[in-house]
Amino acid sequence: VSRVHRATGDGDAARPDRAEAVFVVGGLVCAACPPRIVRALGLTAGVLEVAVEVLLERVRVAYDPARLGAQDIARKLRKLGYEAEVEGAASASDRALAGEKARRLAREAEVRRYGREALLALVLALPIFVVVMLLKPYGPRGVVLALEANVLGSRRRYLAAEALGSLLLATPIQFWLGARFYAGAVKALRRGSATMDTLVALGTSAAYGYSCYALGAASHNRPCCRSHRTCAMDGHCFHGHHYFETSALLIAFVLLGKYLEARAKGKTSRALRALLELQPARAVVLCDDQAETVDAAALRRGDVCLVAPGLAVPADGVVVRGASTVDESMLTGEARPVPKSADPERNAVYGGTVNLGPGALRVQVVAVGDDAVLSRIVRLIEAAQGSKTRVEALADVVARYFVLGVVVVACVAVIVWTALAATRAIPRSWYEREGPALFGLLFGVAVLVVACPCALGLATPTAVMVGTGVGANLGVLAKGGAALEHAAACKVVVFDKTGTLTQGKPRVVGCQAYKMTEDDLIRAAASCEQHSSHPLAGALRRAAQQRGLKLLRVDDAKDVEGLGAQANVGDLGASVAVGSSRFLRELGVDVVEDETTQRWRQEAATVVHVAFDRRFAGSIAIADAPRPEASLVIAWLHRQSIDVWMCTGDSSQTADAVALQVGLSRNRVRAGQLPRDKRDLITELQNDGLVVFVGDGVNDAPALAQADVGVALGAGSGVAVEAADVVLVGDDLRGVSTALDLARHTYNRIRLNFAWATCYNLVLVPAAAGAFYPATRQRLPPAAAAACMVFSSVSVVLSSLALRLYAPPDLSQKTGERRCRRWFGRDAPCDEERESFLGTPKGGDLV
């Protein structure tokens, strides 16, 4: 089973002991949720695999249907405290579109709710802050006296006007707007765990609870001490201050952070949403030359649709009449319009692409639902965005114990500082204003509030989601975060030749027949290869068609992977073998190779030999021109200090000729390679580092699976695409440089996010606990700690969103010249001089 099958469910669908279900899950509040779900479901009998897609708010579970069902898993998720429903079973694009719409509506409602609550919390909290932090210490005497006036009008009990106002304003913030944090903390407690809600609930409750205690204790103060002033009877009075502004501002800042985070997270899935919206809702179907507008989801294979200029193609199909140009940039990233007509070479069109005109197209539908290209792309993107990198796996482990560790640090800070103050082990001036208990408590509250596991949890998935979305827009589909991680660190890139470095459109350029005509030789070879999918077989069939030759009936046709084909041609009454010289010699054929065949190979043509009943019949030269962009891509890879190889089943002379044209040296070419030989080459090169293999054919599948990152051209075979880790939607080799460069940018962003989130917690948690207080005499106020926590989460998401500014690398030599001049001055005109200066062999040959 290929790796993509596990992600999409395609490959395991027929297994009776394995099923897969996707659950829409609500209540994923922080980074501690995914590892908790994975751990809980993993302990459930019958569950095989669990993947939590946080940003898509989904859980993908593979399970044994003989032991439990999807609804059993949904009930288990609900017992964990989450809202869970089984996702419907429409096509991938329909499911994703419906799910994305539902998520967008839910996210918009969440953003509005957080916005309202944050605004209301700030409206209620700011007056407390202004009065306590500005007017009381710095206001006019008349205002201060008014604020300290006793609202109880009693000589025995005392309650200042500003204290009562603060209590009345802080209480709804604490228990109404902050109710969500209490609910989340209670749910987590029932599950025997702790989340971000736990930290917020503990921190704000401590500040609010102490403030209420301070009001009650101060109400019994003597009249001379009711303004918190000292007197001779100092020991009988309570001099603590309330901290309602702290609890109120904490909740207000956290809600504001949730609002900003929800808005930013909504933008990370914009690329997927734009891709889903490409699919048109309606289609014009022709029935007996009568046009009828129908729902595009109701289209079936064989339907003929009319696509007028300016309209989108409703489904994958082939053009049966008409000629026009089509914009495929949304799928391939290539802005140039693509001509389309009934010509078999350019009749394929894809759902969501736009007919630019000038003519209308009649398109026969060939793929709908999950078989459509758009659905496959959506599945790949969702699988990629739900996968985990090693960095994210580490973050999950940290998040699992993070909250508990923070609570322990907060408790230790409270106990240590309170004990130091109570025993007078520290100067009295440090705690004189608050008293020992409050002095220690404020350190604990700051620790609880400043800690931010969300930043750790968001560091990787937001970058992967944005990176894969950007890649999809550029025609590069990565099947997972691990593929991006490996591609970013690759040291070696290996290219297949036929159809990868070459254009994949081979044609017969020469023929040498013995004791028969050239037409008879080509007819026999094409007939033998008529059922083969190899590009060279296609060239033989096209040559026969161009010459007007009718293919002969064959029996017992057999393809020998990487070597050739053999069949009994009934009309000739002979066994025909077509393939390489090695293949025919293994069959006992005395192969004749002369100056003509040598010249063909030196001109980069592939020589195919033909034998009748083990007797040599002739040779056919097939040429496949190198892709015009191949030399640019290889030169760019050399500039990135990446070792580049080429492997092919062709002869060494042909391989060397192609290598010379694309800029590779002979010591980086492996010729005469069977599929297993290509796989063994990858295994050998993996001793020196991570290896990327780029191919497009069925015989490339073993090497694609063996490589650390397999890259398949989207125009290649389905087997190659399924075995690969990265798929290039367009038939352009520049996608390789884009994929590797984007992978490096994405992974660097992941590491930056993770480093920032880690350093933030490693620095600010000890700072909030008072580690630097003896040296600086400065304490991190709880309200400032809340603002720092908000900033950490939002900054990680904004950092990931910066990937949307990514532009593919410029492969032109001018880029190298600019870089060379920037490094070595105006007199350094090219990369060759830079390589000479650095001691790197020309062409990047790293021996």
Side-chain angles (χ1 to χ4, degrees):
V1 179
S2 69
R3 295 173 221 177
V4 71
H5 290 162
R6 188 174 63 198
T8 63
D10 296 344
D12 294 325
R15 287 178 51 180
D17 61 339
R18 182 184 176 98
E20 187 173 282
V22 178
F23 302 88
V24 180
V25 178
L28 299 175
V29 295
C30 76
C33 294
R36 184 181 309 114
I37 292 175
V38 171
R39 186 170 65 254
L41 293 184
L43 296 176
T44 304
V47 172
L48 305 177
E49 285 183 29
V50 182
V52 182
E53 302 169 359
V54 179
L55 297 181
L56 297 177
E57 297 176 346
R58 301 191 315 179
V59 175
R60 191 183 298 271
V61 182
Y63 61 94
D64 184 352
R67 305 182 68 179
L68 78 167
Q71 293 300 333
D72 298 323
I73 299 173
R75 282 193 290 271
K76 178 69 174 178
L77 287 169
R78 294 188 196 106
K79 286 182 179 178
L80 291 173
Y82 302 99
E83 302 171 4
E85 296 293 340
V86 183
E87 195 170 62
S91 70
S93 59
D94 291 339
R95 283 196 308 268
L97 182 57
E100 181 62 27
K101 287 182 178 178
R103 282 193 298 273
R104 184 179 62 192
L105 292 174
R107 191 178 296 116
E108 288 174 353
E110 181 184 47
V111 168
R112 288 194 299 269
R113 185 172 65 252
Y114 276 132
R116 287 195 303 266
E117 293 179 356
L119 179 60
L120 183 57
L122 287 172
V123 168
L124 294 176
L126 284 178
I128 308 177
F129 174 80
V130 170
V131 168
V132 175
M133 305 302 293
L134 299 178
L135 292 181
K136 278 190 66 176
Y138 308 112
R141 177 176 175 80
V143 174
V144 174
L145 292 176
L147 292 174
E148 294 180 351
N150 185 6
V151 296
L152 298 180
S154 170
R155 292 182 175 272
R156 295 184 178 181
R157 309 285 290 184
Y158 173 74
L159 181 61
E162 60 84 14
L164 176 61
S166 299
L167 174 64
L168 295 178
L169 291 174
T171 299
I173 297 177
Q174 186 72 33
F175 299 108
W176 176 35
L177 300 177
R180 63 169 64 247
F181 303 113
Y182 286 104
V186 170
K187 287 182 180 180
L189 184 61
R190 289 175 179 173
R191 299 191 296 264
S193 60
T195 65
M196 187 69 192
D197 291 337
T198 307
L199 298 181
V200 176
L202 285 175
T204 57
S205 296
Y208 183 86
Y210 174 82
S211 299
C212 292
Y213 163 74
L215 291 189
S219 68
H220 297 284
N221 280 1
R222 295 175 179 273
C224 63
C225 297
R226 288 175 182 175
S227 298
H228 306 293
R229 298 185 179 89
T230 58
C231 68
M233 305 294 293
D234 174 77
H236 300 284
C237 294
F238 177 81
H239 298 293
H241 298 264
H242 69 77
Y243 282 86
F244 287 120
E245 80 285 354
T246 296
S247 63
L249 285 174
L250 286 180
I251 293 178
F253 280 140
V254 171
L255 290 173
L256 178 62
K258 292 284 187 182
Y259 167 73
L260 297 175
E261 184 180 315
R263 284 195 62 182
K265 284 166 62 177
K267 296 179 181 178
T268 60
S269 61
R270 182 175 294 178
L272 178 60
R273 185 161 63 247
L275 193 64
L276 292 170
E277 291 172 351
L278 294 176
Q279 189 70 46
R282 310 289 288 174
V284 179
V285 178
L286 296 177
C287 184
D288 297 330
D289 288 333
Q290 297 294 318
E292 179 183 359
T293 303
V294 301
D295 189 344
L299 290 175
R300 297 173 298 176
R301 291 182 180 86
D303 287 345
V304 177
C305 302
L306 178 65
V307 184
L311 297 183
V313 178
D316 294 3
V318 294
V319 177
V320 294
R321 185 184 301 178
S324 187
T325 57
V326 174
D327 179 10
E328 296 182 346
S329 60
M330 62 287 295
L331 295 181
T332 65
E334 177 58 56
R336 185 174 55 226
V338 181
K340 299 292 180 180
S341 66
D343 183 352
E345 292 289 330
R346 53 184 186 183
N347 66 348
V349 292
Y350 306 104
T353 58
V354 179
N355 180 9
L356 299 178
L361 298 175
R362 293 195 180 192
V363 177
Q364 185 175 29
V365 177
V366 297
V368 294
D370 281 340
D371 295 330
V373 168
L374 187 60
S375 291
R376 296 205 300 268
I377 291 175
V378 168
R379 286 203 305 273
L380 292 178
I381 294 176
E382 290 185 337
Q385 294 177 345
S387 66
K388 289 185 182 295
T389 65
R390 287 178 296 178
V391 175
E392 189 173 5
L394 175 62
D396 285 346
V397 174
V398 173
R400 184 183 305 174
Y401 305 104
F402 182 86
V403 175
L404 180 60
V406 169
V407 173
V408 170
V409 171
C411 292
V412 170
V414 172
I415 294 172
V416 169
W417 283 112
T418 302
L420 290 175
T423 59
R424 299 190 178 182
I426 56 177
R428 184 175 180 179
S429 60
W430 290 11
Y431 59 87
E432 186 175 18
R433 183 172 180 271
E434 296 96 353
L438 180 58
F439 179 71
L441 179 64
L442 291 178
F443 283 110
V445 172
V447 170
L448 292 173
V449 175
V450 80
C452 187
C454 295
L456 288 170
L458 292 171
T460 298
T462 53
V464 170
M465 174 167 275
V466 177
T468 53
V470 170
N473 288 336
L474 297 173
V476 176
L477 302 179
K479 293 181 181 178
L484 294 174
E485 187 174 8
H486 291 152
C490 79
K491 300 296 183 183
V492 182
V493 174
V494 181
F495 288 95
D496 174 52
K497 180 182 77 70
T498 304
T500 304
L501 286 178
T502 60
Q503 295 181 10
K505 298 177 181 178
R507 58 188 180 89
V508 173
V509 295
C511 184
Q512 189 176 35
Y514 293 87
K515 299 181 181 180
M516 63 175 60
T517 66
E518 292 184 358
D519 284 357
D520 290 339
L521 183 68
I522 290 177
R523 187 205 312 267
S527 298
C528 181
E529 295 272 20
Q530 62 184 288
H531 300 301
S532 174
S533 60
H534 196 281
L536 299 183
L540 293 172
R541 292 194 295 269
R542 286 191 296 273
Q545 183 181 14
Q546 290 168 359
R547 292 171 179 244
L549 305 176
K550 184 178 180 180
L551 299 186
L552 305 175
R553 178 179 56 84
V554 298
D555 300 311
D556 300 327
K558 179 176 65 174
D559 279 340
V560 180
E561 193 174 43
L563 292 174
Q566 190 175 10
N568 294 321
V569 181
D571 294 338
L572 296 178
S575 175
V576 177
V578 182
S580 64
S581 56
R582 172 182 173 182
F583 176 52
L584 266 63
R585 288 191 177 106
E586 289 178 356
L587 295 177
V589 178
D590 186 12
V591 178
V592 176
E593 295 195 345
D594 53 17
E595 293 181 358
T596 302
T597 57
Q598 296 298 325
R599 176 172 54 80
W600 285 342
R601 290 195 174 106
Q602 291 172 0
E603 294 173 353
T606 300
V607 179
V608 174
H609 300 293
V610 184
F612 284 21
D613 289 332
R614 302 180 189 273
R615 293 191 302 273
F616 185 72
S619 304
I620 301 172
I622 302 175
D624 189 6
R627 295 177 183 269
E629 72 274 10
S631 59
L632 293 176
V633 172
I634 291 174
W636 180 86
L637 292 172
H638 284 154
R639 290 198 295 271
Q640 308 305 310
S641 300
I642 294 176
D643 196 10
V644 185
W645 288 69
M646 182 183 77
C647 61
T648 176
D650 220 329
S651 67
S652 59
Q653 288 178 305
T654 303
D656 289 345
V658 173
L660 181 63
Q661 295 180 38
V662 299
L664 281 174
S665 60
R666 291 183 178 180
N667 64 345
R668 288 297 182 265
V669 176
R670 292 286 181 91
Q673 300 283 289
L674 297 176
R676 63 175 178 270
D677 298 325
K678 295 180 182 179
R679 182 195 60 204
D680 294 342
L681 172 63
I682 299 300
T683 304
E684 176 187 339
L685 293 175
Q686 283 174 327
N687 295 326
D688 299 326
L690 298 178
V691 176
V692 174
F693 181 81
V694 187
D696 74 318
V698 174
N699 58 351
D700 295 329
L704 287 167
Q706 175 63 37
D708 298 288
V709 181
V711 180
L713 298 182
S717 72
V719 175
V721 170
E722 290 295 302
D725 302 289
V726 177
V727 178
L728 308 181
V729 178
D731 194 23
D732 192 326
L733 208 58
R734 283 174 293 191
V736 175
S737 57
T738 299
L740 297 183
D741 192 56
L742 177 61
R744 289 183 177 180
H745 277 76
T746 303
Y747 195 61
N748 287 340
R749 186 66 56 174
I750 290 173
R751 290 191 293 188
L752 175 64
N753 290 348
F754 191 74
W756 159 250
T758 303
C759 292
Y760 165 86
N761 285 290
L762 289 178
V763 172
L764 286 188
V765 169
F772 310 126
Y773 186 80
T776 63
R777 302 292 195 275
Q778 296 295 323
R779 179 171 54 199
L780 185 64
C788 291
M789 183 270 293
V790 170
F791 174 73
S792 67
S793 294
V794 175
S795 61
V796 164
V797 178
L798 293 178
S799 172
S800 296
L801 287 174
L803 281 172
R804 289 166 54 187
L805 303 176
Y806 171 81
D810 184 359
L811 304 186
S812 66
Q813 189 65 25
K814 293 180 180 178
T815 303
E817 292 175 6
R818 286 196 300 269
R819 183 184 302 114
C820 193
R821 287 172 178 151
R822 186 173 68 247
W823 288 348
F824 298 99
R826 200 172 291 176
D827 296 329
C830 61
D831 278 53
E832 281 77 10
E833 292 189 13
R834 176 174 61 87
E835 291 169 353
S836 175
F837 183 88
L838 297 176
T840 305
K842 183 177 179 180
D845 298 338
L846 306 176
V847 181

